[in-house]
Amino acid sequence: MRVPRQVVEARRSRLTELLLERGYLPISELCEELDVSEATARRDLSALESEERITRTYGGALGEFNATFTSFRERLREGTEAKGLIARTAVSLIKPGMSVYLDAGTTAFAIAQELRRHLPERLTLITNNLALLETLGSLPGAKTILLGGQLLERQSVLLGNEAVKAASAQEINIAFLSAQGMTEQGLWNSQRDIISLQKAVIKRAARSCFCLDRSKLGRTAPEHLTSWPKVAPLVSDLSLPELRQSGITLKPGVLLHSQP
Amino acid sequence: MRVPRQVVEARRSRLTELLLERGYLPISELCEELDVSEATARRDLSALESEERITRTYGGALGEFNATFTSFRERLREGTEAKGLIARTAVSLIKPGMSVYLDAGTTAFAIAQELRRHLPERLTLITNNLALLETLGSLPGAKTILLGGQLLERQSVLLGNEAVKAASAQEINIAFLSAQGMTEQGLWNSQRDIISLQKAVIKRAARSCFCLDRSKLGRTAPEHLTSWPKVAPLVSDLSLPELRQSGITLKPGVLLHSQP
DNA sequence: TAGCAAATGATTGACTTCAATCATATAAAG
DNA sequence: CTTTATATGATTGAAGTCAATCATTTGCTA
């Protein structure tokens, strides 16, 4: 029997809520919870899936909870090769007892995963990146500090005055930062908030290490972060000659080239 | 053919890692990824499930990622009735434009869920509770601020100096706090860190609202938080006579009794 | 109010998943 | 080196899942 449109919609949003809460539910439980037949439950699932509000699995469905996190993971998986290499080089700079800052790029995610494999002792890890927490929070023997700040919707990142203030109060031995583009003029990033925070971090960090893979070469972004003379180590899969072709000349020793 | 024990173990931890990364994987992909037959993949899954390192589903498996969050949600589901009522009363105290602090108890989670249903305009939501972020981060028109601090493993909570400092810099109109126990002597909580933060919040908040359901009555905890005269509104499913039976006498108007 | 469109539950057959069983190869134990 | 224990892949039958189809009820709209 036909039922008012609004009832259908209500049931479907209840379904997404349920999945959001429980993560996963098999069809049978969905039927029971929503008090509908299997057929209807399936219809709801395929409707919601086509709206990309849930993910169906064989036998049930997954909520798009931590959708921010997974999208982050997916982005990471694209540049895997280069980012893995960059991460390995970056981690080799970390010594036991250090205080390490990781920022909000996908490279930071790769570094965190690399830390899972080779973890120096007694690290203090500092970040404004919520997507890193699952990884960093479970590293044994490391202390993880999250900067405070305003939550940027859909970004899983904390920014704003609070974040800048919190960063300025940290002791940082080495910071790993990323940018969205690099040109002859230097490094670029998309948002003023991000740049303010990065500048605060650079000021507090004994060493600021920029990690950029080749996809960033030649790109710009709305906001200018820094010019080349101020870039201390650049960790990249690019070589010096490749950089020179794009008009970027670095002093010797500045580039840490990540090779296979 | 039999294979060295260490190979099996390695494959199984690789499997947990995979699930941790991807959240969910169907059997077929597991077989491909691990390069084993379906039978072996299933055996691995049931082994890991009995160790409670993953969760099987029909057709695949889930990683125990955000296990902290889900355990939180499960804890929440226990006291649902009372906490829902308390949350409703609590939310009725929130007016548009307010700056609201939510602390780390499960009651805070219930309040967040209630906010999802009845959301006053232009709220600023402040918390040290990571489990709340998924809920709070998606509330339209509200601004969410996370206090910084050290990540408490398995608790999804931020504490420590940074958190106290960050709290002291906030403007808070109303704070919703919880405690682990209430006796004649006042309110009790388990950790010194938590109490330091709560005291900082109370100092900054125009109004500090304690939310405790009846399960807390008569319980104590290692650390003393506050005595009764300083408890401003107490939101509870307990009634004045019930409290008096346990030796707790409140001035009129202090208790906001949540009834069905 | 009449006619259409839409939502529902039941049923069906194709397909998938699953646990159990078995033969085999080989790691570990003695 | 011999024996034992165990990990593996293949097979099989039972059970579960899925999309398509159909009849029915009922909301919506002209």
Side-chain angles (χ1 to χ4, degrees):
Chain A
M1 46 211 127
R2 189 176 181 180
V3 113
R5 186 70 217 173
Q6 104 188 40
V7 170
V8 177
E9 290 305 331
R11 189 185 58 233
R12 290 189 180 164
S13 47
R14 172 119 184 282
L15 200 165
T16 39
E17 287 288 317
L18 269 172
L19 287 174
L20 222 71
E21 275 178 33
R22 316 261 288 256
Y24 168 87
L25 280 175
I27 287 275
S28 59
E29 288 190 34
L30 284 176
C31 298
E32 199 175 332
E33 204 76 52
L34 302 175
D35 199 33
V36 291
S37 74
E38 215 171 82
T40 301
R42 287 185 205 288
R43 275 188 277 255
D44 283 352
L45 288 183
S46 54
L48 290 170
E49 181 175 51
S50 66
E51 296 171 34
E52 299 191 333
R53 294 175 56 184
I54 62 156
T55 306
R56 289 188 74 175
T57 71
Y58 198 97
L62 302 168
E64 289 296 309
F65 66 125
N66 67 2
T68 54
F69 295 10
T70 50
S71 76
F72 211 87
R73 289 207 189 85
E74 276 156 22
R75 255 198 292 157
L76 173 64
R77 223 165 297 140
E78 295 162 17
T80 336
E81 286 292 304
K83 284 188 177 132
L85 289 172
I86 291 176
R88 220 163 303 156
T89 308
V91 167
S92 72
L93 298 175
I94 302 175
K95 306 298 172 207
M98 270 192 172
S99 171
V100 180
Y101 180 87
L102 295 173
D103 88 345
T106 50
T107 321
F109 204 87
I111 294 177
Q113 292 198 320
E114 182 63 24
L115 278 175
R116 241 186 147 101
R117 318 207 116 257
H118 305 104
L119 182 66
E121 312 260 304
R122 293 171 288 108
L123 290 190
T124 301
L125 300 162
I126 305 167
T127 186
N128 72 324
N129 184 347
L130 289 168
L132 289 185
L133 278 194
E134 289 168 27
T135 305
L136 296 184
S138 62
L139 293 178
K143 180 175 149 187
T144 302
I145 290 177
L146 190 68
L147 299 182
Q150 185 177 350
L151 179 64
L152 228 72
E153 204 172 342
R154 301 218 64 64
Q155 293 247 30
S156 74
V157 161
L158 299 168
L159 290 175
N161 280 338
E162 279 94 354
V164 171
K165 239 187 290 173
S168 306
Q170 300 296 328
E171 294 248 341
I172 303 173
N173 294 121
I174 187 165
F176 295 99
L177 304 166
S178 61
Q180 298 209 334
M182 53 176 150
T183 66
E184 203 174 338
Q185 284 75 42
L187 302 181
W188 301 81
N189 236 330
S190 56
Q191 286 181 52
R192 185 159 304 184
D193 276 350
I194 295 178
I195 293 200
S196 309
L197 178 59
Q198 287 186 321
K199 285 186 174 168
V201 168
I202 291 170
K203 197 173 284 179
R204 299 293 306 170
R207 204 167 178 202
S208 297
C209 181
F210 289 87
C211 305
L212 288 90
D213 66 83
R214 64 185 338 114
S215 72
K216 307 300 193 309
L217 187 58
R219 278 198 208 168
T220 81
E223 299 278 336
H224 189 248
L225 170 59
T226 183
S227 57
W228 283 109
K230 291 185 186 164
V231 174
L234 172 70
V235 181
S236 177
D237 55 332
L238 288 160
S239 63
L240 272 178
E242 286 176 302
L243 285 164
R244 211 173 301 123
Q245 269 191 340
S246 298
I248 301 171
T249 315
L250 297 180
K251 288 186 193 154
V254 168
L255 177 70
L256 298 178
H257 186 188
S258 302
Q259 284 165 322
Chain B
M1 48 209 123
R2 190 177 181 179
V3 112
R5 188 69 215 173
Q6 103 189 44
V7 170
V8 176
E9 289 305 331
R11 190 185 57 234
R12 291 188 179 166
S13 46
R14 173 121 182 284
L15 200 166
T16 40
E17 285 289 316
L18 269 173
L19 287 175
L20 223 70
E21 275 178 34
R22 314 264 288 257
Y24 168 86
L25 279 175
I27 287 274
S28 59
E29 288 190 34
L30 285 176
C31 296
E32 200 175 329
E33 204 76 51
L34 302 174
D35 199 33
V36 292
S37 74
E38 214 171 84
T40 302
R42 288 183 204 285
R43 275 187 277 255
D44 283 354
L45 288 183
S46 55
L48 289 170
E49 181 175 49
S50 66
E51 295 170 35
E52 298 190 334
R53 294 173 57 185
I54 62 157
T55 307
R56 287 189 76 176
T57 72
Y58 198 98
L62 301 168
E64 290 294 315
F65 65 127
N66 67 3
T68 54
F69 293 11
T70 50
S71 75
F72 208 86
R73 288 207 190 84
E74 276 156 22
R75 253 198 294 156
L76 173 63
R77 225 165 294 142
E78 295 163 16
T80 334
E81 284 294 305
K83 282 187 179 135
L85 289 173
I86 291 176
R88 219 163 305 157
T89 308
V91 167
S92 72
L93 299 175
I94 302 175
K95 304 301 172 204
M98 272 192 171
S99 171
V100 180
Y101 181 86
L102 295 173
D103 89 342
T106 50
T107 320
F109 203 88
I111 294 178
Q113 292 197 320
E114 183 61 26
L115 278 176
R116 242 185 145 101
R117 316 207 117 257
H118 304 104
L119 182 66
E121 311 261 303
R122 293 170 289 107
L123 290 189
T124 301
L125 300 162
I126 306 167
T127 186
N128 72 325
N129 183 347
L130 290 168
L132 289 185
L133 278 194
E134 288 169 27
T135 304
L136 297 184
S138 62
L139 292 178
K143 180 173 150 189
T144 303
I145 290 177
L146 189 69
L147 298 182
Q150 185 176 350
L151 179 64
L152 228 72
E153 206 170 342
R154 300 217 63 63
Q155 293 247 31
S156 74
V157 162
L158 300 167
L159 290 174
N161 279 339
E162 280 93 354
V164 171
K165 240 188 289 173
S168 305
Q170 300 296 327
E171 295 248 341
I172 302 173
N173 295 121
I174 187 166
F176 295 98
L177 305 166
S178 61
Q180 299 207 335
M182 51 176 153
T183 64
E184 203 176 336
Q185 284 74 45
L187 301 181
W188 302 80
N189 236 331
S190 57
Q191 287 182 51
R192 185 158 306 184
D193 276 350
I194 295 178
I195 292 200
S196 309
L197 179 58
Q198 288 185 322
K199 285 186 175 168
V201 168
I202 292 171
K203 197 174 285 179
R204 299 293 305 172
R207 204 168 176 201
S208 297
C209 180
F210 289 86
C211 305
L212 288 90
D213 66 85
R214 64 185 338 113
S215 72
K216 307 300 193 310
L217 187 59
R219 279 199 208 167
T220 82
E223 300 277 335
H224 189 249
L225 169 58
T226 183
S227 56
W228 283 110
K230 292 187 185 163
V231 173
L234 171 69
V235 181
S236 177
D237 55 332
L238 288 160
S239 63
L240 272 177
E242 286 176 302
L243 286 163
R244 210 172 302 126
Q245 270 193 342
S246 297
I248 299 170
T249 315
L250 297 181
K251 287 185 196 155
V254 167
L255 175 70
L256 299 177
H257 185 191
S258 302
Q259 283 164 321

